Amino acid sequence: MTHLRVRPARGRRAGPDPNGPGAARASSSGGGMVRKVGSTAVMKVIVMGLSGVIGIVNSRVIIQHFGTEAYAQYGLLAALPALLPFADLGIAAVVINAVAGSASPASDRTVRRTIVTAFRILLLSAAVIIAVGVVISVLGWWPAILGGGLMPDGGSLAAFLCLSTFAIVLPLTVGSRILVGLGRTSTQVASQAVVAPAMFLGLTTLVAVSAPAGSFLAVLSYIANALASLICLIMAARLIKPQVGKAIREVPFPRRYPGVPAIGVAWPMLVQMVALPIAMQTDRLLLSHLTHGDELAQYNLASQLFGLVLQTIAAAGVAMWPIYAKARSEARIESPMKPTLWFLGGGLAIGLVLATLSPLLTHFIAGDRFALDPWLVGGFVVFVALQAAKYPAGMYMTDKRGLTFQVWPILVSVPLNLGLSWWLIGVIGAGGPIIGSAISVALCQVIPNLWYVTRDLGRRRAEKPGGVEVH
């Protein structure tokens, strides 16, 4: 899978010897990508296997002890973070690129200033989110925003508690960004193993004491995720000690300890993070507003099952980010074209396997209460494959130029996806939103990104005709 292509320049001395030091670096880089992506995927499979089994049991407990209505609201509220990934204001890209591009993250002053900047921005973002949650609660807008999937008894309070917990935990997520930048994505993934068991412990405790807490089950998932974020921050602090500790102490003194300019990379990342949730994560809201049957519960279950695959793909894909960032800092050409084919094939294969098993899993979890619509299952298979295909090119495009290019196609995807999903819900029901999302991913992300990567690789090869390219 890894090979070298040496392009000698016409009329000048040929490039580096394929057996020389440059080739060794390129080869180790290509092999490093395979190892890092592979180890992250394996770790994610292990974690998702554990979390998936426990998650299925958790869903069964919720449906059997608290009812389908409580399960529908649980899925609706637990998905709120998917609507708010822009909450970090794009600072994730700045942190990952700074750490990945540093030769010595544990002593690099720029890295520490970047971490200080991240903490300050996330604290400000958290304060704004909580304030917005208070305003929505006081004005009684939660039912209007979240639709009929919100339970009348305590649903609004539960929504506010979920949003506030998410905001409080937001600064802790700096740890996971540092781990990704260090190439420790597998470590970050391993921390997620605590989420499902913590959720199970909370659920079984509520059942044991017969607590009437059906409206507040989603709060448990936010607390469990907070534990994972705290673990990541502690691990990151130890790996680049004393950077995180010093950064935390410097946060309150912006004049004495200035941060770094982050707008160049942060703004295109922020625009994407605002647009993508609107385009891709409003499916539950549309179903909550436009349907009156079990469509929302069906979508929640399908999203939970296929979400295991999507999370594995995402973790493996993000593992490539620091590899491409390091290649840019070393002026190496690292092509994402072959990884794109591998990801597409792997995503499609795993999606088809899960689609085959979905009737058995649905019957185990929901019994005879509902079944998954074939359009819904088929839509998720296609969506998984396309999401997988977009990751290698997307991780290649994490510099300022690449992030900026992605802005306009993603902005176009917002009205396209919302319009398609709205229309398709009326035509085919629960499967409508995910099919609309799949179409918009293909037209507004996969195709434009591959076009950009092809042109960018050509430009870089022309600028460095004697260079070594890794596939």
Side-chain angles (χ1 to χ4, degrees):
M1 181 175 176
T2 302
H3 68 277
L4 303 179
R5 179 186 298 168
V6 181
R7 295 177 175 268
R10 185 177 298 177
R12 58 185 286 184
R13 183 172 57 87
D17 181 354
N19 299 315
R25 284 196 303 271
S27 179
S28 63
S29 173
M33 176 182 289
V34 174
R35 287 192 299 273
K36 289 182 179 180
V37 173
S39 63
T40 301
V42 169
M43 179 59 69
K44 193 68 176 180
V45 168
I46 294 172
V47 172
M48 285 297 98
L50 171 65
S51 300
V53 171
I54 299 176
I56 289 172
V57 174
N58 288 343
S59 296
R60 180 181 174 88
V61 170
I62 293 172
I63 293 173
Q64 298 297 329
H65 290 275
F66 298 98
T68 302
E69 187 180 11
Y71 177 68
Q73 179 184 281
Y74 163 76
L76 184 67
L77 295 182
L80 277 179
L83 294 170
L84 298 170
F86 56 85
D88 77 350
L89 302 179
I91 197 64
V94 181
V95 174
I96 294 172
N97 283 342
V99 175
S102 174
S104 180
S107 59
D108 192 328
R109 175 61 182 163
T110 300
V111 169
R112 185 160 79 251
R113 291 176 60 204
T114 303
I115 296 172
V116 170
T117 301
F119 277 128
R120 288 172 181 161
I121 290 176
L122 293 179
L123 285 169
L124 176 62
S125 179
V128 171
I129 290 173
I130 293 175
V132 170
V134 170
V135 171
I136 293 174
S137 298
V138 170
L139 296 177
W141 287 351
W142 285 114
I145 293 173
L146 297 178
L150 197 66
M151 297 173 67
D153 183 18
S156 295
L157 177 58
F160 172 72
L161 292 176
C162 288
L163 189 66
S164 298
T165 305
F166 169 78
I168 292 170
V169 175
L170 198 55
L172 301 182
T173 60
V174 172
S176 64
R177 315 307 188 196
I178 295 172
L179 290 177
V180 172
L182 291 171
R184 299 294 189 96
T185 310
S186 59
T187 304
Q188 184 262 334
V189 167
S191 70
Q192 299 297 312
V194 305
V195 175
M199 181 72 184
F200 176 75
L201 180 62
L203 283 174
T204 52
T205 300
L206 293 176
V207 172
V209 300
S210 301
S215 292
F216 301 95
L217 300 178
V219 180
L220 296 176
S221 69
Y222 286 82
I223 296 173
N225 279 285
L227 178 60
S229 295
L230 179 60
I231 291 172
C232 283
L233 185 61
I234 292 173
M235 289 191 293
R238 290 180 176 177
L239 286 170
I240 60 171
K241 188 177 180 179
Q243 294 281 56
V244 174
K246 287 185 176 181
I248 292 173
R249 291 191 291 271
E250 293 175 3
V251 166
F253 309 103
R255 291 187 178 181
R256 190 187 310 173
Y257 303 106
V260 297
I263 190 66
V265 173
W267 84 260
M269 192 72 178
L270 175 60
V271 172
Q272 293 181 48
M273 295 170 77
V274 171
L276 278 175
I278 298 174
M280 301 296 160
Q281 301 296 338
T282 51
D283 296 354
R284 288 180 176 86
L285 289 178
L286 289 173
L287 289 170
S288 180
H289 282 283
L290 299 176
T291 63
H292 304 284
D294 59 13
E295 287 89 349
L296 180 57
Q298 283 189 55
Y299 188 94
N300 283 340
L301 182 55
S303 180
Q304 179 182 355
L305 295 177
F306 285 92
L308 302 177
V309 179
L310 289 170
Q311 290 178 52
T312 302
I313 292 169
V318 171
M320 291 187 284
W321 186 333
I323 295 172
Y324 289 123
K326 179 68 73 175
R328 286 195 300 269
S329 69
E330 297 175 353
R332 285 186 287 106
I333 301 175
E334 195 98 38
S335 173
M337 303 307 286
K338 280 191 175 180
T340 296
L341 296 176
W342 283 104
F343 268 65
L344 173 62
L348 181 60
I350 298 173
L352 288 172
V353 170
L354 189 54
T356 303
L357 297 175
S358 63
L360 296 175
L361 296 172
T362 302
H363 181 73
F364 173 77
I365 296 171
D368 296 326
R369 294 173 186 251
F370 60 82
L372 298 185
D373 185 271
W375 282 106
L376 179 64
V377 175
F380 264 105
V381 171
V382 176
F383 182 73
V384 164
L386 291 171
Q387 283 287 93
K390 81 173 189 180
Y391 264 100
M395 295 302 99
Y396 174 92
M397 299 167 65
T398 48
D399 59 344
K400 181 179 178 180
R401 186 200 298 259
L403 289 171
T404 302
F405 172 84
Q406 295 180 62
V407 168
W408 290 109
I410 287 176
L411 288 177
V412 171
S413 74
V414 174
L416 175 65
N417 188 28
L418 288 176
L420 283 172
S421 298
W422 189 292
W423 175 65
L424 288 170
I425 286 174
V427 177
I428 56 178
I434 195 63
I435 293 176
S437 296
I439 294 172
S440 62
V441 167
L443 296 179
C444 300
Q445 293 184 69
V446 176
I447 294 174
N449 287 3
L450 290 176
W451 178 84
Y452 172 90
V453 167
T454 301
R455 289 177 61 88
D456 191 67
L457 287 173
R459 175 185 62 82
R460 296 180 64 193
R461 289 164 184 155
E463 292 176 354
K464 192 178 180 183
V468 179
E469 180 178 340
V470 182
H471 291 269

